[in-house]
Amino acid sequence: MTFKSLILSVAIWGAVVAPTVAAETDANRAKPFPEVTFDRVNAIFGDNLDTSDPRLKTLLLAIGMDHTSTSSPHKREQVGVPFIVHYGAHYWVNRLAAGDASIDVLVNNALLLLFAETEIPGREEAAYSLMTAAAGSGYWPADYFIAETDLQNHLVRDPVNIVPLSNEIDRSHLQEVAQKTMAAYNRCAELGFAPCRYRIGFWLSNSQPTLVDGLTVLQNAVNTTLRDTRYQGVLDAELVSATTALVEHGHLIGLTADMRQQYDQLLKSVLK
């Protein structure tokens, strides 16, 4: 998608929303997130933020976690729904149209496209292009989005259980896509983001030669999930699948019978 057509896709969306631009001040910048009302959020996004799409739900989680992290190099970026609503849609659309390629401009315009109440031609492609640019600037939540999109669109026959299209990948250009996807997952996994660790673990554990490595990564992902309450309700399906794998095959990575029993009890508690 060309930059011109990308701008057009965003501008189409911006044209249907009344501008609610607020003046930017140093005081506003100092706040972790600006305060916005439900009515203003609803005017832009409707009910679309309450999405059932795990990819989009996890993207919002990643953005929030990065913004509130004291160690993030992007913590001062004004990325996320509160900033979109605070300044208004036109503020972000106009900055993009003016050639501003800041991370917050790229990602916020992508969010406008992904969650807009209005149907926009080419919205997914335009959002993907914007997120690709943000990932190129080192923004790891964009890495997650790009990797997840490529995985679901090109690399698996079962997006839930992550069953790779092994034969097709080995014989085609998809090998390059797979390498790029796993590299993106690795970048956000290294920062401790559990969803990326699950993806890597499931991918590796679907192949016998890398099963042990996959189980090790899945154990790490499960432990990360249990330590951070922000993952509750977001990663339940992944937690169930990973814990099941540890109960059934954990002996391969040195888990004792007692340890596997503990994972089994965890599994039963999640399934209640």
Side-chain angles (χ1 to χ4, degrees):
M1 174 171 284
T2 65
F3 184 75
K4 183 177 180 181
S5 60
L6 188 154
I7 293 294
L8 179 61
S9 294
V10 178
I12 290 172
W13 187 90
V16 302
V17 181
T20 54
V21 179
E24 185 175 1
T25 66
D26 290 337
N28 288 333
R29 283 185 176 276
K31 294 181 180 179
F33 280 113
E35 295 180 6
V36 295
T37 64
F38 174 79
D39 288 343
R40 290 181 65 189
V41 173
N42 193 63
I44 295 177
F45 296 105
D47 296 325
N48 288 353
L49 293 175
D50 188 21
T51 178
S52 59
D53 184 338
R55 178 187 58 137
L56 297 181
K57 186 184 298 186
T58 308
L59 172 63
L60 292 177
L61 174 65
I63 290 171
M65 292 180 76
D66 179 75
H67 185 74
T68 56
S69 170
T70 57
S71 61
S72 171
H74 310 296
K75 61 186 176 183
R76 294 191 179 277
E77 297 283 352
Q78 297 183 313
V79 177
V81 170
F83 291 110
I84 294 173
V85 176
H86 180 65
Y87 294 112
H90 282 259
Y91 171 80
W92 299 105
V93 172
N94 290 340
R95 283 182 62 181
L96 182 66
D100 190 339
S102 303
I103 286 175
D104 51 4
V105 172
L106 296 170
V107 177
N108 286 345
N109 276 285
L111 293 177
L112 284 169
L113 289 165
L114 291 168
F115 292 98
E117 200 168 21
T118 305
E119 280 301 320
I120 306 166
R123 63 195 289 170
E124 275 282 341
E125 293 83 355
Y128 183 93
S129 295
L130 290 166
M131 285 295 200
T132 299
S137 295
Y139 188 62
W140 70 263
D143 269 325
Y144 164 78
F145 176 81
I146 295 301
E148 193 73 3
T149 302
D150 285 343
L151 183 81
Q152 294 185 16
N153 289 347
H154 304 296
L155 301 175
V156 294
R157 63 171 56 89
D158 181 354
V160 176
N161 296 311
I162 310 301
V163 179
L165 295 167
S166 301
N167 292 335
E168 290 86 342
I169 291 171
D170 290 342
R171 299 172 185 170
S172 71
H173 71 285
L174 290 179
Q175 193 168 46
E176 182 178 342
V177 176
Q179 290 173 348
K180 184 187 80 168
T181 300
M182 288 302 115
Y185 278 134
N186 270 313
R187 285 192 292 272
C188 58
E190 287 173 358
L191 293 171
F193 194 51
C196 294
R197 293 181 175 181
Y198 279 117
R199 286 307 194 216
I200 294 170
F202 288 134
W203 184 274
L204 293 174
S205 61
N206 264 294
S207 174
Q208 193 62 38
T210 55
L211 173 59
V212 170
D213 290 336
L215 291 170
T216 301
V217 175
L218 288 177
Q219 183 184 22
N220 186 286
V222 168
N223 293 340
T224 300
T225 303
L226 297 177
R227 286 196 301 266
D228 195 329
T229 57
R230 290 174 294 183
Y231 291 122
Q232 288 182 359
V234 179
L235 297 176
D236 289 353
E238 289 84 352
L239 182 61
V240 167
S241 296
T243 305
T244 300
L246 292 173
V247 171
E248 295 177 353
H249 306 293
H251 62 283
L252 297 175
I253 57 172
L255 296 183
T256 65
D258 286 343
M259 295 170 71
R260 295 199 302 277
Q261 180 64 30
Q262 290 176 15
Y263 280 115
D264 188 49
Q265 291 173 356
L266 170 63
L267 178 61
K268 290 175 181 175
S269 69
V270 175
L271 292 173
K272 281 184 179 178

